[in-house]
Amino acid sequence: MTRATIKDVSRVAGVSIKTVSRVLNKERYVSDDMRQKVEEAVARLNYHPSQAARTLAGRRSFQIGLIHDNPSPYYIFNMQAGVGQRCREADFRMIVQPCDINSPGLVDDIGALIDQAQLDGFIMTPPVTDVGTALAELFRRKIPVVRVQPGTDLTATSAVYIDNVQAADDMTAYLISLGHRRIGFVTGHGNYFASGQRLTGYRQALQRAGIGFDAALVFPGQFDFQSGTAAAEALLTLDQPPTAIFASSDDMAAGVLAAAHRLGVAVPDQLSVAGFDDTDLAQVVWPSLTTIHQPIRDLGYAAADLLLEFGETIERRQLPHKLVVRGSTAPPRT
Amino acid sequence: MTRATIKDVSRVAGVSIKTVSRVLNKERYVSDDMRQKVEEAVARLNYHPSQAARTLAGRRSFQIGLIHDNPSPYYIFNMQAGVGQRCREADFRMIVQPCDINSPGLVDDIGALIDQAQLDGFIMTPPVTDVGTALAELFRRKIPVVRVQPGTDLTATSAVYIDNVQAADDMTAYLISLGHRRIGFVTGHGNYFASGQRLTGYRQALQRAGIGFDAALVFPGQFDFQSGTAAAEALLTLDQPPTAIFASSDDMAAGVLAAAHRLGVAVPDQLSVAGFDDTDLAQVVWPSLTTIHQPIRDLGYAAADLLLEFGETIERRQLPHKLVVRGSTAPPRT
DNA sequence: TAACGATAAGATAACGTTGTCATACGCGAG
DNA sequence: CTCGCGTATGACAACGTTATCTTATCGTTA
């Protein structure tokens, strides 16, 4: 038994090949009568159109690319889930391409991918979003692009994002509302634009509360666990240690927790710890993390949605974040 | 500027289309002279063959499928990384398909994917590996299949796996060597064959050490964090609580840790905790987990390798696991 | 020296769809 | 009643490769 082709379907349905094609592509000008006959034949033969033939003959490939250079399994998993779901709804396929933003071959790889697969669109996640040469290559090929949380050329492509400034502000304000005045902050990796935004939100909330900014309380991190432990070790041995540490990723917050445990600092009694992202991690460490929920899956879904609905037309969509309070934060000891 | 085609290359190189095709496909019977001319032209035009045209004309699509229904981002991420790397080396593409093993449409979805994309091969990860109907569908289509850690029909397809029995035995033996005699065990989800194997390894090590098996010390889990906390709460309130708990996944071990923290049981001083998998989690909780390192990325790489190297020919490859000792285990208090 | 196999290259027909163009019908307006 | 337009269908070329078949040249062997 070999695969059924459109020809088989047309023979069984008693119509022309082109009519079958019309039904399959939901084109206008097809009578209900024809449509029904074709649909029956398709079901009976268990026919599935050849992706390859469609791509070759038509101008669409029904495929979009998702490119990432992000070390977080959690982030990638959820992003893929969101993009994947929207793709399935539209009968599109998602081509995932991990990459290395420092590789000199990056641009060529992207070009090759688009050429070979004839992609209909492209989704970029940070930090690839801000690689100028990659972006230029996509423009050169006039392919619709949606970026997730871009940091540069904000109006150049469609984009989905959350308000990182506001989110970090929310968290900082929450810690202040608990009574904290000395709040440490661990920044993210310099490659990510969001890192700077979160720092801005932190400073913004401090200022509004009339708390002076103290550069000694800000520790440069890389979004990873190690950064968190290093930051905690540095911040907790200050002459005037903070009563709370806001790490701008959950991994770093977990690092802070581990260091606190090791140093015998009780969380949240002696130290409040806050994270950012609300990854799986947040509920698996002890105590569970107060954090900002970032709707990664929804961001993926929205990105694919913009691509499929609007194509070249530039659209922007901001998604809501949410402050999630768990066990790692409490009022400071008086 | 439109895409370069093989025709353009042949014109620039001054050879026939077929010769270009031969060079591209590394066929025999091409002179070095021709090969060089073609390669130059390819580079000059930045030519990339159309995936669609190749698939349509040839009998190969240069694509393999990876199907999974696994809730662990860590597992999926590393599996994809391994498969993806091997694919890149062979200029293949990986099509990822999440699925739901309880969905009635599962078999149809798999069939549709293979038909549409004309996949050259298929990789299944647990627990999809053991869905009989899905397996049957793949056989019907005579497509090469590699399964990762299959539990049923072991000789029906190629497979890659670790020795779960031995791994659990190693961990249990290690705990016994520390001096533990009452060792709790948290099993995995019933859908996964590995769950039973790990329990077997646990029992095997106990028996060898002359320690009687106590069913009260075995708690049924689901591989997730919740199971771990539930298990710890149950086991630690026994009349004779265990001095060590071996949870057969890191998530469950993290749950045990959290419950121990909450109950004021010090780890590892009052209770040793061991996990399984060596996910990112293991180094991010406190104390860091003694666990079995499972080479997930390597399993993915090996799976793709078997597919690409052996095709239909059935091959099996066992990869080594490793006991990783960290801070969550210690001798029992005397 | 004739015959043959191994090597090297090309001409042309697929592959299974969609795009383009042609055709035919029914219906309302002039 | 005729023209034009919206609707509905089909014939056929085109998409960019690989497969198959054919041809040409060489070196080796009988």
Side-chain angles (χ1 to χ4, degrees):
Chain A
M1 189 207 84
T2 172
R3 295 183 59 223
T5 70
I6 202 171
K7 207 166 168 184
D8 301 324
V9 175
S10 73
R11 200 176 317 117
V12 169
V15 303
S16 77
I17 289 178
K18 182 66 210 188
T19 298
V20 177
S21 173
R22 286 201 175 93
V23 172
L24 259 34
N25 290 287
K26 305 192 203 312
E27 287 177 26
R28 299 190 322 177
Y29 307 147
V30 183
S31 65
D32 289 346
D33 187 34
M34 287 282 163
R35 190 183 314 280
Q36 200 178 334
K37 273 197 280 187
V38 170
E39 277 165 359
E40 271 174 30
V42 165
R44 186 135 77 80
L45 295 173
N46 192 27
Y47 164 77
H48 300 288
S50 155
Q51 176 69 44
R54 249 142 91 93
T55 303
L56 182 56
R59 25 181 77 96
R60 297 186 306 165
S61 68
F62 302 94
Q63 295 187 317
I64 65 176
L66 171 63
I67 192 165
H68 66 78
D69 171 16
N70 194 305
S72 165
Y74 178 84
Y75 189 90
I76 298 307
F77 181 81
N78 283 286
M79 184 58 59
Q80 283 186 19
V83 174
Q85 182 176 338
R86 186 65 187 83
C87 282
R88 227 165 303 124
E89 288 171 13
D91 253 312
F92 265 62
R93 198 157 300 134
M94 165 183 70
I95 306 290
V96 181
Q97 174 101 138
C99 72
D100 174 0
I101 60 167
N102 295 313
S103 158
L106 175 63
V107 171
D108 286 346
D109 286 352
I110 291 177
L113 176 64
I114 296 173
D115 272 1
Q116 285 175 2
Q118 273 143 274
L119 297 181
D120 290 338
F122 215 78
I123 295 177
M124 307 174 94
T125 65
V128 193
T129 44
D130 303 331
V131 177
T133 50
L135 218 47
E137 177 73 8
L138 293 171
F139 290 151
R140 216 170 60 74
R141 293 172 191 267
K142 307 197 196 310
I143 184 175
V145 176
V146 174
R147 288 183 299 163
V148 179
Q149 204 79 54
T152 60
D153 306 294
L154 296 181
T155 56
T157 68
S158 290
V160 297
Y161 50 92
I162 65 165
D163 187 341
N164 276 290
V165 176
Q166 186 60 50
D169 185 323
D170 288 352
M171 177 61 83
T172 310
Y174 169 70
L175 292 172
I176 293 170
S177 79
L178 287 177
H180 294 280
R181 310 254 94 200
R182 287 187 67 73
I183 300 171
F185 185 83
V186 192
T187 73
H189 194 290
N191 274 348
Y192 294 74
F193 192 72
S195 301
Q197 294 183 306
R198 292 176 193 173
L199 179 59
T200 301
Y202 162 78
R203 296 189 64 157
Q204 182 176 296
L206 287 184
Q207 184 167 28
R208 199 173 52 247
I211 302 175
F213 173 73
D214 182 351
L217 291 178
V218 175
F219 189 92
Q222 314 259 321
F223 278 141
D224 64 339
F225 181 81
Q226 292 302 332
S227 305
T229 56
E233 277 159 13
L235 293 172
L236 293 177
T237 53
L238 288 176
D239 287 343
Q240 273 204 302
T243 61
I245 296 179
F246 176 14
S248 54
S249 81
D250 286 347
D251 282 84
M252 295 196 297
V256 171
L257 281 185
H261 280 133
R262 200 158 42 229
L263 295 170
V265 176
V267 177
D269 291 344
Q270 294 172 275
L271 177 73
S272 283
V273 177
F276 199 111
D277 286 341
D278 195 23
T279 60
D280 284 350
L281 204 57
Q283 299 190 61
V284 156
V285 293
W286 192 87
S288 56
L289 286 173
T290 292
T291 190
I292 295 289
H293 178 75
Q294 189 179 187
I296 299 174
R297 198 193 151 105
D298 295 345
L299 285 168
Y301 187 93
D305 195 54
L306 288 189
L307 211 49
L308 299 177
E309 291 296 320
F310 295 96
E312 304 262 24
T313 311
I314 292 179
E315 283 279 328
R316 299 171 62 71
R317 204 174 284 173
Q318 177 175 306
L319 268 55
H321 59 269
K322 206 169 77 189
L323 174 66
V324 181
V325 177
R326 297 207 183 88
S328 65
T329 49
R333 260 196 324 193
T334 45
Chain B
M1 191 208 84
T2 172
R3 294 183 60 224
T5 70
I6 201 172
K7 208 167 167 182
D8 301 324
V9 176
S10 73
R11 200 177 315 116
V12 169
V15 303
S16 78
I17 288 180
K18 181 64 210 188
T19 298
V20 176
S21 174
R22 285 201 176 92
V23 173
L24 259 34
N25 290 287
K26 306 192 204 310
E27 287 177 27
R28 299 190 322 178
Y29 307 148
V30 183
S31 65
D32 289 345
D33 187 34
M34 287 282 161
R35 189 183 314 280
Q36 201 177 332
K37 271 197 281 188
V38 170
E39 277 165 0
E40 271 175 30
V42 165
R44 186 137 75 81
L45 295 174
N46 192 26
Y47 164 77
H48 300 288
S50 155
Q51 176 68 45
R54 291 183 109 186
T55 303
L56 183 57
R59 23 182 78 97
R60 297 186 305 165
S61 68
F62 301 94
Q63 295 187 318
I64 65 176
L66 171 63
I67 193 164
H68 65 78
D69 170 17
N70 193 306
S72 165
Y74 177 84
Y75 189 90
I76 298 308
F77 180 81
N78 284 285
M79 184 58 59
Q80 282 187 19
V83 174
Q85 182 177 338
R86 187 65 187 82
C87 282
R88 226 164 305 125
E89 288 171 12
D91 254 312
F92 264 63
R93 197 158 299 133
M94 165 184 71
I95 306 290
V96 181
Q97 174 102 136
C99 73
D100 174 1
I101 61 167
N102 296 313
S103 158
L106 175 62
V107 171
D108 286 346
D109 286 352
I110 291 177
L113 177 63
I114 296 174
D115 272 1
Q116 286 175 1
Q118 272 143 276
L119 298 181
D120 291 338
F122 215 78
I123 295 176
M124 307 175 94
T125 65
V128 194
T129 45
D130 302 332
V131 178
T133 50
L135 218 47
E137 178 73 9
L138 294 171
F139 289 152
R140 216 170 60 75
R141 292 171 192 266
K142 306 196 196 309
I143 184 176
V145 176
V146 174
R147 288 182 298 162
V148 179
Q149 204 79 52
T152 60
D153 306 295
L154 296 181
T155 56
T157 67
S158 290
V160 298
Y161 51 92
I162 65 165
D163 186 341
N164 275 289
V165 176
Q166 186 60 49
D169 185 322
D170 289 352
M171 178 61 84
T172 310
Y174 169 70
L175 293 171
I176 293 171
S177 79
L178 287 176
H180 295 279
R181 315 299 294 176
R182 288 187 66 73
I183 301 170
F185 185 83
V186 192
T187 74
H189 194 290
N191 273 348
Y192 294 74
F193 192 72
S195 302
Q197 294 183 305
R198 291 176 193 174
L199 179 59
T200 301
Y202 162 77
R203 297 188 63 158
Q204 181 176 296
L206 288 183
Q207 184 167 29
R208 198 173 53 245
I211 302 175
F213 173 73
D214 182 350
L217 290 178
V218 174
F219 189 92
Q222 314 260 319
F223 278 142
D224 65 338
F225 181 80
Q226 291 302 333
S227 304
T229 57
E233 278 159 13
L235 293 172
L236 293 176
T237 53
L238 289 176
D239 286 344
Q240 274 203 301
T243 59
I245 295 179
F246 176 14
S248 56
S249 80
D250 286 347
D251 282 84
M252 295 196 296
V256 171
L257 282 185
H261 280 132
R262 200 158 42 228
L263 296 170
V265 176
V267 176
D269 290 346
Q270 295 172 274
L271 177 73
S272 283
V273 177
F276 199 112
D277 287 341
D278 194 21
T279 60
D280 284 351
L281 204 58
Q283 299 191 61
V284 155
V285 293
W286 193 87
S288 56
L289 287 173
T290 292
T291 189
I292 294 289
H293 178 75
Q294 190 179 188
I296 300 174
R297 196 192 153 108
D298 295 346
L299 284 168
Y301 187 93
D305 195 54
L306 287 190
L307 212 49
L308 299 177
E309 291 295 321
F310 295 96
E312 304 261 26
T313 311
I314 293 180
E315 282 280 328
R316 299 171 63 70
R317 203 173 285 172
Q318 177 176 307
L319 269 56
H321 60 269
K322 205 169 76 190
L323 174 65
V324 181
V325 177
R326 297 206 183 88
S328 65
T329 48
R333 264 197 321 195
T334 46

